[in-house]
Amino acid sequence: MILDGRCPPGSLSEKWERHRHEMKLVSPVNKRKYRIIVVGTGLAGASAAATLGELGYTVEAICYQDSARRAHSIAAQGGINAAKNYPNDGDSVFRLFHDTIKGGDFRSREANVYRLAEVSGCIIDQCVAQGVPFARDYAGYLVNRSFGGAQVSRTFYARGQTGQQLLLGAYSALSRQVKEGTVTLRPRTEMLDLVVVDGEAKGITVRDLVTGEIRSVGGDAVCLCTGGYMNVFYLSTNSMGGNVTAAYRAYKKGAFLRTRAYTQIHPTCIPVTGEHQSKLTLMSESLRNDGRVWVPRIRGDRRLPREIPEEERDYYLERKYPSFGNLAPRDISSRAAKEVCDEGHGVGPGGRGVYLDFADAIARLGEGTIRERYGNLFEMYERITAENAYERPMRIYPAPHYAMGGLWVDYNLQSTIPGLFVLGEANFSDHGANRLGASALMQGLADGYFIIPYTIADYLARIKPGKVVRGHPEFLKSVEECKAFVGRLLSIKGKRTVNEFHRELGSVMWENVGMIRSRESLAGALKQISELRAEFWKNVRVPGGEEELNQELEKAGRVADFIEFAELMIRDALHRNESCGGHFRVEYQTAEGEAKRDDENFCYVAAWEYKGPEAEPELHTEPLLFENVQLAVRSYK
Amino acid sequence: MNLTLFVWRQKGPGAQGGLEEYQAKDISPDMSFLEMLDVVNEDLIKDGKNPIAFDHDCREGICGMCSQVVNGVPHGPRERTTICQLHMRHFRDGDALYIEPWRARAFPVIKDLIVDRTSLDRIIQSGGYMSVHTGGVPDANAVLIPKHDADTAMDAAECIGCGACVAACPNGSAMLFAAAKVAHLAQLPQGRAEAAQRVCVMTEAMLKEGFGNCSNHYECQAVCPKGIKVKFIAKLNREFLKAELRSCGTPEAGTPSRD
Ligand SMILES: Cc1cc2nc3c(=O)[nH]c(=O)nc-3n(C[C@H](O)[C@H](O)[C@H](O)COP(=O)(O)OP(=O)(O)OC[C@H]3O[C@@H](n4cnc5c(N)ncnc54)[C@H](O)[C@@H]3O)c2cc1C
Ligand code: FES
């Protein structure tokens, strides 16, 4: 089937304006009668729930943490993009749009990305009005920094805690609606299933993580804002509870999942120290504004970094990509790091690391300035490694970070199931095959504050509120299925712990489906994963019971979904016979080792449809048309 | 290294809890404290026992979910460090560690080391925000904010809402938590309009939730993983006095404006 993104007609800059005018509205007196379920309270979920509440809808917002304020958006460090052009350095809506399309290696939808760039400025205005303390200069104006893949400074930041401040802003708007009585919060609650009645999303099934009760939540529409799935690699920069469960179960209920092979491996993370490692910590990309990346020229050089003279260092990013240098996009920087380490130039344990050096910046700007810009990151680095990065360069290595794939959505952010909307990292819409830094925060808030409030009305206005009630057989069936699933996990009583399975899954994925993939590695991984799945269901040990707080049970459900999901991810990577952005296939590269796209055959969005437990999923495509940018070889040289 | 742990185990909210002894063996100094507990838990599971339940999510010191008292100190011995960021290199082979949940009237234990902190959310819900609708706001540079004010607001806004301040306070007071929010918003020109009302409703909510009064012990500042300063409590008190002069106690003042 050829999918239609339902982008409005007209020139790029008219589309959203015109579409807003053409969409249906729900009258103020009727809004309250519609119940909207928002799953997730990260930037996307919190901003959506708060805004929908303000508009007068009845909203129920759920998250698995103990408070809405703890969604993983809180961990974002570096900043948020907006085409404000405050520095007067040549930025514009069109340039942000163009950078994002190009950064995504021409695999995203023009209309969506343009709209994102258009509303980006409003996001900053909104956040300032909420009290987000962005960095300012002495005159009191906002200041900007640069991020990878851009030659202008358009990134707004709040020290190294931009995500925290933006999320607290959205959380405060959400809290205000709780007080107003429009939003009900359900923390420590996990979505286990989507309930579809007559082809439309009418609710979800959840487990209360404190009591273990599995129950239905009914509504007129569902917004999934459940974040990314990078924990499929076990070790990632995501939060420990990050999962694909909500999205995957929606997929099993008929929502198409889009090109999951696009995974972002972030170039600057603290390297792994051992088996015990439970997660990886990001060192914000903003550090590359002032840090220079290098490795020793001599293989296996064991000297201290300061003892290695300038001419024996290889500043490989500056050498290979002179015009972007240390700010080359993530996919490119990560692969370059892997390459130099594979060649034996890596530093630190196992030779899996490269230096990120601030000596020049400190000499130029003084330690005080560097401390002001990145103090908390340097502290975090020291806590983890016991090394002082003001005195010796940081050691960094790429790590799984961001999911460009997700549930397929149209221009209205609606999935293939009417009434199911997907926002933030959980959807696929704006970043193509590679996301530029500081664009995820922008997208999450754009979706939640400025897009869904309009587009969801267009759906709701066409349906009667409260048409389906919780006692409907589909709800009961879903509850029974979820109970059976949980019961099955508890009944296996095998020998291996959930973590052991997760770690094994992660290592297969990292080795074979990570930064560099080949037909053989993918085929091999597919086989290993299907064996792992079989073993999981025979040999996993989940202690405790169903009707209690049971963290192992929570993890087991998530890992079970990750294992199935991994198979899909590999199938997608196998089918895409080209390299682009975060998907690099060794078979498809230029003579210089850069990604080689195949626009003739793969300039489309791949969306997969679930066909049953043992059947292969079916591929659907949405062709990508580029009318305003020229498809070009992405060059950062 | 090897350590002996005494961990608070409690089956459920009303249940009787107690300390139980466990051995943490072959612990690497590079592990984080929670990774050390992961190892203990894996052993427990293999032994057919129930693992220790504890809250955590980001494991990078920013979400505020982790919450353990180690040898009497919330978040353990390192200054400005959450328990998830505390590494085992700060302990010695053979150490005995007492690990307990946050203890405060307003934080009932749910299980083992997990407590219910929704009372903190309710303080914010009472009025810890600016009443601004989405859309229709001025350009971000329309109101200038001197760097010093923006920086001070940020110092306060860094609070991660973990509740260590409450756990450390002999009175179980949430003063530092509330003060950080009051100070953050009152420091900004956008937050002045509601400042008086905000400080009143938040203080009231604090008392209603069963948090104690502040009697200047300053334990809160000592354990705060983000280094939030007690000077913000002074700021809250100033704001409160100002508000009282403007008749904070009147019934209308208790309800934030509906716009
Ligand atoms: C360390 C780090 C640093 C980053 N830095 C930047 C940056 O500087 N700039 C930038 O633009 N981007 C950055 N990103 C990316 C960006 O932070 C995320 O993509 C974005 O915040 C995701 O927001 P979200 O609202 O989609 O999801 P999240 O914030 O991840 O929220 C997910 C929500 O869904 C809930 N949830 C998930 N599953 C379930 C379930 N099954 N049931 C119930 N609830 C569920 C969770 O409880 C949570 O509330 C960073 C990411 C990381 C990990
Ligand atoms: S787990 Fe997030 S702060 Fe410790």
Side-chain angles (χ1 to χ4, degrees), chain A residues 105-125:
Chain A
D105 218 353
F106 306 91
R107 289 293 176 264
S108 38
R109 220 185 260 147
E110 276 193 344
N112 283 57
V113 178
Y114 193 85
R115 174 177 64 186
L116 174 66
E118 265 180 312
V119 303
S120 65
C122 306
I123 297 174
I124 304 302
D125 301 342

PDB file of all heavy atoms in Angstrom, chain A residues 105-125:
ATOM      1  N   ASP A 105      19.459  13.588   6.143  1.00  0.00           N
ATOM      2  CA  ASP A 105      19.858  12.884   4.928  1.00  0.00           C
ATOM      3  C   ASP A 105      18.679  12.659   3.980  1.00  0.00           C
ATOM      4  O   ASP A 105      18.533  11.593   3.375  1.00  0.00           O
ATOM      5  CB  ASP A 105      20.555  11.551   5.267  1.00  0.00           C
ATOM      6  CG  ASP A 105      21.708  11.266   4.307  1.00  0.00           C
ATOM      7  OD1 ASP A 105      21.861  12.029   3.336  1.00  0.00           O
ATOM      8  OD2 ASP A 105      22.442  10.287   4.528  1.00  0.00           O
ATOM      9  N   PHE A 106      17.841  13.659   3.868  1.00  0.00           N
ATOM     10  CA  PHE A 106      16.750  13.658   2.897  1.00  0.00           C
ATOM     11  C   PHE A 106      15.822  12.459   3.033  1.00  0.00           C
ATOM     12  O   PHE A 106      15.467  11.811   2.068  1.00  0.00           O
ATOM     13  CB  PHE A 106      17.305  13.760   1.469  1.00  0.00           C
ATOM     14  CG  PHE A 106      18.216  14.937   1.289  1.00  0.00           C
ATOM     15  CD1 PHE A 106      19.586  14.818   1.489  1.00  0.00           C
ATOM     16  CD2 PHE A 106      17.696  16.184   0.971  1.00  0.00           C
ATOM     17  CE1 PHE A 106      20.431  15.913   1.357  1.00  0.00           C
ATOM     18  CE2 PHE A 106      18.529  17.284   0.835  1.00  0.00           C
ATOM     19  CZ  PHE A 106      19.903  17.162   1.024  1.00  0.00           C
ATOM     20  N   ARG A 107      15.458  12.198   4.274  1.00  0.00           N
ATOM     21  CA  ARG A 107      14.519  11.108   4.488  1.00  0.00           C
ATOM     22  C   ARG A 107      13.363  11.542   5.377  1.00  0.00           C
ATOM     23  O   ARG A 107      12.769  10.759   6.081  1.00  0.00           O
ATOM     24  CB  ARG A 107      15.252   9.882   5.088  1.00  0.00           C
ATOM     25  CG  ARG A 107      16.183   9.159   4.107  1.00  0.00           C
ATOM     26  CD  ARG A 107      15.412   8.494   2.972  1.00  0.00           C
ATOM     27  NE  ARG A 107      16.278   7.874   1.970  1.00  0.00           N
ATOM     28  CZ  ARG A 107      16.645   8.481   0.833  1.00  0.00           C
ATOM     29  NH1 ARG A 107      16.245   9.711   0.560  1.00  0.00           N
ATOM     30  NH2 ARG A 107      17.408   7.847  -0.043  1.00  0.00           N
ATOM     31  N   SER A 108      13.070  12.849   5.378  1.00  0.00           N
ATOM     32  CA  SER A 108      11.890  13.289   6.121  1.00  0.00           C
ATOM     33  C   SER A 108      10.958  14.083   5.211  1.00  0.00           C
ATOM     34  O   SER A 108      11.315  14.417   4.083  1.00  0.00           O
ATOM     35  CB  SER A 108      12.275  14.109   7.347  1.00  0.00           C
ATOM     36  OG  SER A 108      13.373  14.935   7.073  1.00  0.00           O
ATOM     37  N   ARG A 109       9.794  14.378   5.750  1.00  0.00           N
ATOM     38  CA  ARG A 109       8.745  15.010   4.955  1.00  0.00           C
ATOM     39  C   ARG A 109       8.929  16.524   4.973  1.00  0.00           C
ATOM     40  O   ARG A 109       8.965  17.118   6.040  1.00  0.00           O
ATOM     41  CB  ARG A 109       7.426  14.661   5.618  1.00  0.00           C
ATOM     42  CG  ARG A 109       6.323  14.338   4.702  1.00  0.00           C
ATOM     43  CD  ARG A 109       5.050  14.143   5.512  1.00  0.00           C
ATOM     44  NE  ARG A 109       4.728  12.749   5.748  1.00  0.00           N
ATOM     45  CZ  ARG A 109       4.125  12.314   6.852  1.00  0.00           C
ATOM     46  NH1 ARG A 109       3.821  13.154   7.824  1.00  0.00           N
ATOM     47  NH2 ARG A 109       3.842  11.055   6.991  1.00  0.00           N
ATOM     48  N   GLU A 110       9.006  17.115   3.820  1.00  0.00           N
ATOM     49  CA  GLU A 110       9.247  18.566   3.751  1.00  0.00           C
ATOM     50  C   GLU A 110       8.229  19.376   4.560  1.00  0.00           C
ATOM     51  O   GLU A 110       8.591  20.255   5.338  1.00  0.00           O
ATOM     52  CB  GLU A 110       9.188  19.040   2.296  1.00  0.00           C
ATOM     53  CG  GLU A 110      10.473  18.882   1.530  1.00  0.00           C
ATOM     54  CD  GLU A 110      10.435  19.644   0.211  1.00  0.00           C
ATOM     55  OE1 GLU A 110       9.330  20.041  -0.234  1.00  0.00           O
ATOM     56  OE2 GLU A 110      11.506  19.844  -0.389  1.00  0.00           O
ATOM     57  N   ALA A 111       6.955  19.067   4.378  1.00  0.00           N
ATOM     58  CA  ALA A 111       5.909  19.902   4.985  1.00  0.00           C
ATOM     59  C   ALA A 111       5.999  19.886   6.506  1.00  0.00           C
ATOM     60  O   ALA A 111       5.849  20.914   7.164  1.00  0.00           O
ATOM     61  CB  ALA A 111       4.532  19.426   4.535  1.00  0.00           C
ATOM     62  N   ASN A 112       6.258  18.701   7.070  1.00  0.00           N
ATOM     63  CA  ASN A 112       6.356  18.613   8.530  1.00  0.00           C
ATOM     64  C   ASN A 112       7.535  19.426   9.050  1.00  0.00           C
ATOM     65  O   ASN A 112       7.432  20.130  10.044  1.00  0.00           O
ATOM     66  CB  ASN A 112       6.556  17.161   8.970  1.00  0.00           C
ATOM     67  CG  ASN A 112       5.279  16.373   8.923  1.00  0.00           C
ATOM     68  OD1 ASN A 112       4.656  16.285   7.865  1.00  0.00           O
ATOM     69  ND2 ASN A 112       4.883  15.833  10.051  1.00  0.00           N
ATOM     70  N   VAL A 113       8.666  19.276   8.380  1.00  0.00           N
ATOM     71  CA  VAL A 113       9.868  19.929   8.871  1.00  0.00           C
ATOM     72  C   VAL A 113       9.728  21.443   8.750  1.00  0.00           C
ATOM     73  O   VAL A 113      10.136  22.186   9.638  1.00  0.00           O
ATOM     74  CB  VAL A 113      11.112  19.427   8.101  1.00  0.00           C
ATOM     75  CG1 VAL A 113      12.359  20.147   8.575  1.00  0.00           C
ATOM     76  CG2 VAL A 113      11.271  17.925   8.290  1.00  0.00           C
ATOM     77  N   TYR A 114       9.095  21.877   7.695  1.00  0.00           N
ATOM     78  CA  TYR A 114       8.927  23.317   7.537  1.00  0.00           C
ATOM     79  C   TYR A 114       8.055  23.885   8.660  1.00  0.00           C
ATOM     80  O   TYR A 114       8.355  24.913   9.256  1.00  0.00           O
ATOM     81  CB  TYR A 114       8.329  23.669   6.162  1.00  0.00           C
ATOM     82  CG  TYR A 114       8.443  25.143   5.879  1.00  0.00           C
ATOM     83  CD1 TYR A 114       9.599  25.673   5.320  1.00  0.00           C
ATOM     84  CD2 TYR A 114       7.414  26.017   6.226  1.00  0.00           C
ATOM     85  CE1 TYR A 114       9.737  27.031   5.110  1.00  0.00           C
ATOM     86  CE2 TYR A 114       7.538  27.381   6.021  1.00  0.00           C
ATOM     87  CZ  TYR A 114       8.704  27.880   5.461  1.00  0.00           C
ATOM     88  OH  TYR A 114       8.838  29.232   5.259  1.00  0.00           O
ATOM     89  N   ARG A 115       6.990  23.154   8.959  1.00  0.00           N
ATOM     90  CA  ARG A 115       6.097  23.600  10.036  1.00  0.00           C
ATOM     91  C   ARG A 115       6.853  23.669  11.366  1.00  0.00           C
ATOM     92  O   ARG A 115       6.691  24.598  12.154  1.00  0.00           O
ATOM     93  CB  ARG A 115       4.919  22.624  10.144  1.00  0.00           C
ATOM     94  CG  ARG A 115       4.011  22.911  11.324  1.00  0.00           C
ATOM     95  CD  ARG A 115       2.821  21.969  11.354  1.00  0.00           C
ATOM     96  NE  ARG A 115       3.235  20.588  11.558  1.00  0.00           N
ATOM     97  CZ  ARG A 115       2.389  19.551  11.504  1.00  0.00           C
ATOM     98  NH1 ARG A 115       1.114  19.740  11.230  1.00  0.00           N
ATOM     99  NH2 ARG A 115       2.840  18.328  11.720  1.00  0.00           N
ATOM    100  N   LEU A 116       7.704  22.681  11.582  1.00  0.00           N
ATOM    101  CA  LEU A 116       8.502  22.663  12.806  1.00  0.00           C
ATOM    102  C   LEU A 116       9.350  23.933  12.904  1.00  0.00           C
ATOM    103  O   LEU A 116       9.395  24.607  13.936  1.00  0.00           O
ATOM    104  CB  LEU A 116       9.390  21.409  12.801  1.00  0.00           C
ATOM    105  CG  LEU A 116      10.401  21.264  13.921  1.00  0.00           C
ATOM    106  CD1 LEU A 116       9.696  21.091  15.254  1.00  0.00           C
ATOM    107  CD2 LEU A 116      11.310  20.050  13.669  1.00  0.00           C
ATOM    108  N   ALA A 117      10.014  24.264  11.801  1.00  0.00           N
ATOM    109  CA  ALA A 117      10.855  25.453  11.797  1.00  0.00           C
ATOM    110  C   ALA A 117      10.016  26.710  12.016  1.00  0.00           C
ATOM    111  O   ALA A 117      10.407  27.643  12.707  1.00  0.00           O
ATOM    112  CB  ALA A 117      11.626  25.538  10.479  1.00  0.00           C
ATOM    113  N   GLU A 118       8.818  26.701  11.412  1.00  0.00           N
ATOM    114  CA  GLU A 118       7.933  27.865  11.544  1.00  0.00           C
ATOM    115  C   GLU A 118       7.527  28.132  12.986  1.00  0.00           C
ATOM    116  O   GLU A 118       7.473  29.277  13.422  1.00  0.00           O
ATOM    117  CB  GLU A 118       6.640  27.611  10.750  1.00  0.00           C
ATOM    118  CG  GLU A 118       6.625  28.161   9.365  1.00  0.00           C
ATOM    119  CD  GLU A 118       5.291  27.849   8.683  1.00  0.00           C
ATOM    120  OE1 GLU A 118       4.820  26.683   8.726  1.00  0.00           O
ATOM    121  OE2 GLU A 118       4.712  28.773   8.108  1.00  0.00           O
ATOM    122  N   VAL A 119       7.197  27.074  13.736  1.00  0.00           N
ATOM    123  CA  VAL A 119       6.710  27.311  15.107  1.00  0.00           C
ATOM    124  C   VAL A 119       7.854  27.385  16.122  1.00  0.00           C
ATOM    125  O   VAL A 119       7.622  27.674  17.295  1.00  0.00           O
ATOM    126  CB  VAL A 119       5.675  26.242  15.573  1.00  0.00           C
ATOM    127  CG1 VAL A 119       4.490  26.198  14.623  1.00  0.00           C
ATOM    128  CG2 VAL A 119       6.303  24.874  15.726  1.00  0.00           C
ATOM    129  N   SER A 120       9.089  27.135  15.660  1.00  0.00           N
ATOM    130  CA  SER A 120      10.199  27.054  16.617  1.00  0.00           C
ATOM    131  C   SER A 120      10.338  28.333  17.457  1.00  0.00           C
ATOM    132  O   SER A 120      10.588  28.267  18.662  1.00  0.00           O
ATOM    133  CB  SER A 120      11.513  26.739  15.891  1.00  0.00           C
ATOM    134  OG  SER A 120      11.871  27.801  15.030  1.00  0.00           O
ATOM    135  N   GLY A 121      10.130  29.474  16.837  1.00  0.00           N
ATOM    136  CA  GLY A 121      10.281  30.732  17.567  1.00  0.00           C
ATOM    137  C   GLY A 121       9.269  30.872  18.701  1.00  0.00           C
ATOM    138  O   GLY A 121       9.596  31.339  19.800  1.00  0.00           O
ATOM    139  N   CYS A 122       8.033  30.428  18.448  1.00  0.00           N
ATOM    140  CA  CYS A 122       6.973  30.534  19.468  1.00  0.00           C
ATOM    141  C   CYS A 122       7.334  29.722  20.702  1.00  0.00           C
ATOM    142  O   CYS A 122       6.922  30.048  21.811  1.00  0.00           O
ATOM    143  CB  CYS A 122       5.651  29.993  18.944  1.00  0.00           C
ATOM    144  SG  CYS A 122       5.119  30.722  17.433  1.00  0.00           S
ATOM    145  N   ILE A 123       8.073  28.629  20.489  1.00  0.00           N
ATOM    146  CA  ILE A 123       8.425  27.771  21.621  1.00  0.00           C
ATOM    147  C   ILE A 123       9.272  28.551  22.616  1.00  0.00           C
ATOM    148  O   ILE A 123       9.039  28.511  23.823  1.00  0.00           O
ATOM    149  CB  ILE A 123       9.192  26.524  21.136  1.00  0.00           C
ATOM    150  CG1 ILE A 123       8.297  25.686  20.225  1.00  0.00           C
ATOM    151  CG2 ILE A 123       9.691  25.706  22.319  1.00  0.00           C
ATOM    152  CD1 ILE A 123       9.010  24.519  19.575  1.00  0.00           C
ATOM    153  N   ILE A 124      10.239  29.279  22.085  1.00  0.00           N
ATOM    154  CA  ILE A 124      11.136  30.032  22.973  1.00  0.00           C
ATOM    155  C   ILE A 124      10.332  31.104  23.707  1.00  0.00           C
ATOM    156  O   ILE A 124      10.475  31.289  24.919  1.00  0.00           O
ATOM    157  CB  ILE A 124      12.295  30.666  22.164  1.00  0.00           C
ATOM    158  CG1 ILE A 124      13.054  29.596  21.365  1.00  0.00           C
ATOM    159  CG2 ILE A 124      13.258  31.420  23.088  1.00  0.00           C
ATOM    160  CD1 ILE A 124      13.641  28.478  22.176  1.00  0.00           C
ATOM    161  N   ASP A 125       9.450  31.790  22.986  1.00  0.00           N
ATOM    162  CA  ASP A 125       8.603  32.809  23.633  1.00  0.00           C
ATOM    163  C   ASP A 125       7.806  32.176  24.775  1.00  0.00           C
ATOM    164  O   ASP A 125       7.732  32.718  25.880  1.00  0.00           O
ATOM    165  CB  ASP A 125       7.626  33.421  22.620  1.00  0.00           C
ATOM    166  CG  ASP A 125       8.334  34.072  21.443  1.00  0.00           C
ATOM    167  OD1 ASP A 125       9.535  34.362  21.562  1.00  0.00           O
ATOM    168  OD2 ASP A 125       7.681  34.281  20.399  1.00  0.00           O
TER     169      ASP A 125
END
